[in-house]
Amino acid sequence: MKNTVVLTAEEKRRRLELSRKESEGLTLRDIHCPYCNFIITRVFSDAGGHYLAKCQKCKRQVVLNFAYFRRQKGIGKRKAGGSAQ
Ligand SMILES: [Zn+2]
């Protein structure tokens, strides 16, 4: 039995608009290739789960768990400052 959902153009438009509205207030972060440091993609701060990515530069394919790649710019400085832990 097929379990495919066919979206109408109107429904697609509605979901796109909903997605855009939900992303307001979220921040974007770059996901870098673990081999060559090239930016593979950009994800919103609420991104989770696993992502299959192919690096456009070194052509390697990697599986990334976003939870393990949450390093943000400047976080090292904040930690060094002794604010956390
Ligand atoms: Zn790469």
Side-chain angles (χ1 to χ4, degrees):
M1 192 164 82
K2 274 193 167 182
N3 194 18
T4 53
V5 177
V6 180
L7 298 175
T8 63
E10 179 58 34
E11 179 62 11
K12 282 181 193 171
R13 221 177 354 261
R14 193 187 70 79
R15 290 185 183 194
L16 279 170
E17 181 61 18
L18 198 59
S19 299
R20 191 192 60 74
K21 279 184 181 169
E22 288 167 356
S23 73
E24 288 173 2
L26 296 176
T27 56
L28 276 168
R29 59 192 170 96
D30 297 332
I31 300 295
H32 293 263
C33 173
Y35 299 104
C36 72
N37 212 35
F38 187 77
I39 296 173
I40 293 175
T41 189
R42 302 189 80 197
V43 297
F44 285 98
S45 49
D46 67 341
H50 294 81
Y51 182 73
L52 179 63
K54 186 176 180 186
C55 177
Q56 295 295 309
K57 190 176 179 189
C58 72
K59 309 298 181 195
R60 291 201 205 198
Q61 190 166 287
V62 292
V63 177
L64 301 171
N65 182 340
F66 289 134
Y68 303 149
F69 292 87
R70 287 201 190 281
R71 194 176 49 177
Q72 296 165 345
K73 275 182 189 172
I75 200 163
K77 279 185 212 166
R78 287 200 296 274
K79 278 187 178 172
S83 60
Q85 291 180 4

